[in-house]
Amino acid sequence: DISFNLNLDLETSLVSLKGCSNLQKLALPVNQISEIPESIGELRQLRELNLTDNNLTDLPNGISNMDSLEALYVAKNIIVDPVKTYSKLDKLNIKVLSIDQVSEEDLKIIQEMFPQTAINQKKTKDIEELMRHMDSSTDKETPKELHASSVRQVEQSVQYDAEIYSLAYTR
């Protein structure tokens, strides 16, 4: 478990872990990791990989080499194209896949890719509330006012303005 390590040199760590032939579980949550090196695929003995709560937008192609991988946890990331990203796992025998909430259409495609997999979605109630409020508001408010009031409704402690171009970036 290598978590809450903001100075993590993941490439060097993976080189070191490659020598641990009995390593079956690796947890790297809450490290602000934005990219996983291709060398992750060299950890072929891993059965469980936890990448929860980072800044990942995609997974490397090398992940498809992880023959023993059965459980992957990637919820609370900013995966931009879930179908493309998770299709990299289609050759693996994934039994558990923990992801952020995706559209019903994407979920159906992912379920078809992994018919024997338990897919656990992290619900995004805050995003749903934000979108519901934005859809139901009148056009009398300016976009800045609308956004500011939406953010206050979703989370009182947020004190900044932001424009949302993709729901992936709300995480």
Side-chain angles (χ1 to χ4, degrees):
D1 183 352
I2 306 171
S3 53
F4 296 97
N5 188 337
L6 302 180
N7 297 316
L8 177 66
D9 180 353
L10 189 54
E11 184 71 48
T12 302
S13 298
L14 292 177
V15 169
S16 298
L17 292 172
K18 191 169 101 173
C20 301
S21 60
N22 293 327
L23 181 66
Q24 294 187 10
K25 295 180 182 181
L26 177 60
L28 298 166
V30 197
N31 285 308
Q32 296 185 0
I33 299 169
S34 59
E35 187 174 337
I36 301 293
E38 289 291 330
S39 60
I40 190 86
E42 296 175 20
L43 299 177
R44 299 177 75 124
Q45 76 281 9
L46 278 186
R47 297 174 63 107
E48 183 177 309
L49 179 59
N50 184 343
L51 300 170
T52 303
D53 208 356
N54 281 292
N55 297 320
L56 298 173
T57 57
D58 199 3
L59 294 173
N61 293 326
I63 202 162
S64 65
N65 297 327
M66 300 176 74
D67 301 330
S68 300
L69 193 63
E70 295 177 349
L72 178 63
Y73 304 92
V74 288
K76 293 188 175 182
N77 277 285
I78 50 176
I79 302 296
V80 176
D81 188 346
V83 171
K84 179 183 171 201
T85 296
Y86 303 132
S87 69
K88 296 173 185 179
L89 308 168
D90 69 346
K91 297 176 187 169
L92 304 178
N93 187 25
I94 301 292
K95 295 178 181 171
V96 176
L97 181 60
S98 177
I99 61 176
D100 283 319
Q101 187 174 3
V102 296
S103 70
E104 287 184 32
E105 181 180 305
D106 284 353
L107 180 59
K108 184 177 178 183
I109 294 168
I110 294 168
Q111 286 172 330
E112 288 172 0
M113 283 191 286
F114 304 102
Q116 304 299 319
T117 302
I119 299 174
N120 304 318
Q121 287 193 91
K122 171 91 173 111
K123 300 295 181 193
T124 52
K125 183 179 176 186
D126 53 344
I127 295 170
E128 291 171 1
E129 180 63 31
L130 175 63
M131 296 310 292
R132 186 171 40 257
H133 177 71
M134 291 178 85
D135 289 343
S136 66
S137 294
T138 65
D139 291 332
K140 294 176 185 176
E141 295 178 276
T142 68
K144 188 172 183 177
E145 291 169 341
L146 174 62
H147 177 74
S149 64
S150 298
V151 169
R152 278 193 300 278
Q153 274 193 325
V154 174
E155 188 174 340
Q156 294 288 331
S157 64
V158 176
Q159 298 292 323
Y160 57 88
D161 288 335
E163 290 186 33
I164 299 172
Y165 295 103
S166 167
L167 289 182
Y169 294 101
T170 59
R171 288 276 170 222

